[in-house]
Amino acid sequence: MTPIHIALAVLVAFIWGVNFTFIAWGLESFPPLMLTAMRFFFTAVPLVLFLKPPKFNRTLFVYAIGTFVLQYAFVFTAMHLGASAGLTALLLQMQIFITVLLAYFILGEAVSRKQIAGMLVGVLGLGVIALNLGGDMPLNGFICILIAAIGWSFGNIASKQVSKQTAISTTHQQPNVSTIASVNTVSNRTSALSALALVVWGGLIACVVLTLSSLIFETEAWQFATFTQASLKSWLSLGFIVYISTLVGFGLWAHLLAQNTASKVIPFALLVPVFGMATSVLLIGEVLTWWKMLAMVLILSGLILANVKIGVRRKPVIT
């Protein structure tokens, strides 16, 4: 990865880490599915009017459902049920291990022994949290976050596949470019726009699904008073979640995945729980216990072990 790509990856990790505190503030006024639906409504509107939609196929729907619907509906629900912002940020990073496994089976990216060892160490951290369920991490919240991690993992793989499809299409459409520099410039510009379009149009799909789900499961919340009585802090938090975490964060993340292998980009998410735990302690007073520190050390150690260069590629199972 280039230095600028590394810097962008760290920036995204910081944004996503701080975002858990803003989610907690947003949930003070809105129920989880409604808040998630509003997030993706404002993500999509009005940008869908200006961005060319990506190719509508199964991969796009897997990205939208996995990354947006499953991940955030269950993360928001877990925090609504009592899961703390810091622990949610930490536990959600199990998606990295799941993504590495999916990249092996779906994209054909090899998995090293160090990555396998890292996964085992990460599972030990998961076990520490499981042994201390209750309080900051209720059992139902724990289960919701694991489901969210699985959803995000499938979304990561789908994002990579959509980017590959776009790159192939762009190459075929640019036969007269005379220099390598020109090709790279066009490719990077196209990649950035397609990444943003992927987030926006994926958000539109997610908005429809989430709004219907909220109308079914949160019927009583759909009253005018819910919006008029919401605090300014919750509305500002929604703004951060929409424009900074979603549009900026996921736009950059999809762009990074388009320019690098998944095994190089995904491990940077190990910084998310560090930023998430730190900001939850500083801004909302979460208590940092010994077992939380142990779980963080184990999971982050596993993630560091998993952050090794993947060498030989095997034949892809699914293309």
Side-chain angles (χ1 to χ4, degrees), residues 106-145:
I106 298 176
L107 301 181
E109 296 185 4
V111 179
S112 69
R113 292 179 180 178
K114 286 186 177 181
Q115 286 178 309
I116 295 174
M119 293 178 197
L120 294 176
V121 174
V123 169
L124 291 177
L126 182 67
V128 170
I129 298 176
L131 291 173
N132 290 275
L133 293 177
D136 284 350
M137 182 56 68
L139 175 59
N140 48 9
F142 181 81
I143 295 172
C144 283
I145 296 171

Side-chain angles (χ1 to χ4, degrees), residues 13-45:
F14 174 76
I15 289 171
W16 285 347
V18 175
N19 189 56
F20 287 93
T21 294
F22 284 95
I23 292 171
W25 288 338
L27 289 169
E28 292 178 1
S29 299
F30 303 106
L33 295 180
M34 175 185 282
L35 181 62
T36 316
M38 289 194 297
R39 169 187 190 155
F40 292 112
F41 172 80
F42 290 113
T43 295
V45 178

Side-chain angles (χ1 to χ4, degrees), residues 26 31 76 84 122 151 164 168 197 204 227 230 241 248 261 266 270 273 275 277 297 299 309 314 319:
F76 283 30
S84 68
K164 284 183 177 180
I168 292 173
L204 182 63
F227 304 98
I241 294 168
V248 175
T261 63
I266 301 302
L270 66 88
F275 292 128
M277 189 72 75
V297 169
I299 292 177
K309 183 177 181 180
R314 69 180 184 88
T319 60

Side-chain angles (χ1 to χ4, degrees), residues 10 42 46 114 135 163 258 286:
V10 173
F42 290 113
K114 286 186 177 181
S163 298
E286 179 177 347

